[in-house]
Amino acid sequence: MKKIKKGDDVVIIAGKDKGKRGTVLRVVNTDLVVIEGVNKVKKHERPNPSKGTTGGIVEMEKPIQISNVAIYNPATQKADRVGFKILEDKRKVRYFKSSGQLLDA
């Protein structure tokens, strides 16, 4: 089980976008995630008539290291660390380290 998953609300804790909040769009691999509205770059694309794309400058989100990202805790309105607990019904769930509140209900 991973500490950060697709759909999680996260805060950037290091880098050029430090302090920004966003939602995880996808997890690229074990150490890279793509976050909505963060680490935006402009890419020059060639037109491709077979795919139906027009050329030009496209703005897109690039992956960011997962170590530079922390889960957003809505109760404290700050970045928080994540831990794992095993419940009585043998389910493994994530929880906020600061408050002990469950992240996966």
Side-chain angles (χ1 to χ4, degrees):
M1 184 176 240
K2 297 178 182 136
K3 292 188 177 185
I4 295 177
K5 296 179 177 181
K6 178 181 175 180
D8 284 345
D9 207 22
V10 294
V11 178
I12 309 304
I13 56 174
K16 69 175 186 177
D17 294 317
K18 183 177 178 176
K20 286 187 181 178
R21 268 179 52 200
T23 306
V24 176
L25 296 175
R26 63 189 167 96
V27 178
V28 178
N29 56 27
T30 55
D31 59 340
L32 292 174
V33 289
V34 176
I35 300 165
E36 181 181 15
V38 175
N39 199 21
K40 291 191 136 224
V41 295
K42 291 182 189 225
K43 182 179 181 204
H44 296 260
E45 277 195 354
R46 296 177 68 112
N48 190 344
S50 63
K51 289 185 181 175
T53 59
T54 59
I57 301 171
V58 179
E59 199 166 298
M60 61 189 300
E61 290 107 358
K62 286 293 215 176
I64 188 170
Q65 285 281 332
I66 208 163
S67 63
N68 297 333
V69 170
I71 294 271
Y72 177 74
N73 188 344
T76 59
Q77 297 184 350
K78 291 182 183 176
D80 207 343
R81 293 185 301 154
V82 176
F84 295 105
K85 280 184 187 176
I86 297 178
L87 301 178
E88 291 82 31
D89 59 347
K90 305 289 188 228
R91 284 190 309 138
K92 188 176 180 182
V93 293
R94 299 180 297 166
Y95 74 98
F96 292 117
K97 288 264 192 166
S98 64
S99 62
Q101 180 185 7
L102 293 181
L103 191 60
D104 305 319

